[in-house]
């Protein structure tokens, strides 16, 4: 089992920045992919960004150039730096950890961007 604890959400004005963190504990395994997805009210959960344990990243087109994902393997922590935030970025952001055994999700953290 893997436990994920997210932090860093909140309320920010359009154009502002937030940094999300997600710490993983338990049976994480050294080879894994971590990332973030988001879900706005009434919409499906969509991928935001992922990063492998070797550092390969992937971003949704809607956040390219504005968001940056990184990780600290020693701390089993993944970060999402969100800049130039837009009202359409408002959603619950979920951390994800995927290894050979299974996929795990955090409880979610709310990000609200006011116009």
């Amino acid at each position: 089992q893997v436990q994920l604890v997210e932090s860093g959400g909140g309320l920010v004005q359009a154009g502002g920045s937030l940094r999300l963190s997600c710490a993983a504990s338990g049976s994480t395994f050294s080879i894994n992919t971590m990332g973030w997805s988001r879900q706005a009210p009434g919409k499906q959960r969509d991928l935001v960004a992922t990063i492998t344990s070797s550092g390969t990243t992937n971003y949704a087109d809607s956040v390219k150039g504005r968001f940056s994902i990184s990780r600290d393997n020693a701390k089993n922590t993944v970060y999402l730096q969100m800049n130039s935030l837009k009202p359409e970025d408002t959603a619950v952001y979920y951390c994800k950890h995927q290894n050979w055994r299974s996929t795990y999700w955090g409880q979610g953290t709310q990000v609200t961007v006011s116009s």
Side-chain angles (χ1 to χ4, degrees):
Q1 281 286 60
V2 173
Q3 294 77 43
L4 301 171
V5 178
E6 300 141 331
S7 60
L11 173 64
V12 65
Q13 288 187 334
S17 299
L18 281 175
R19 189 192 194 206
L20 305 182
S21 300
C22 174
S25 61
S27 302
T28 56
F29 298 98
S30 60
I31 299 175
N32 59 72
T33 297
M34 295 189 73
W36 297 89
S37 293
R38 66 187 181 187
Q39 187 167 19
K43 296 188 176 181
Q44 66 181 18
R45 188 176 299 188
D46 292 325
L47 171 73
V48 175
T50 61
I51 183 168
T52 68
S53 47
S54 60
T56 300
T57 59
N58 182 50
Y59 295 93
D61 288 342
S62 59
V63 306
K64 283 181 180 177
R66 299 188 299 122
F67 291 10
S68 178
I69 190 170
S70 61
R71 63 188 291 165
D72 184 334
N73 289 333
K75 296 181 179 180
N76 284 326
T77 300
V78 64
Y79 307 95
L80 185 68
Q81 178 66 43
M82 305 185 292
N83 299 325
S84 302
L85 282 160
K86 304 175 181 180
E88 51 263 44
D89 294 318
T90 295
V92 177
Y93 284 69
Y94 296 92
C95 175
K96 183 176 81 169
H97 174 97
Q98 183 177 10
N99 58 41
W100 70 270
R101 178 172 290 175
S102 190
T103 298
Y104 304 89
W105 293 94
Q107 79 284 358
T109 185
Q110 177 70 46
V111 171
T112 302
V113 184
S114 63
S115 58

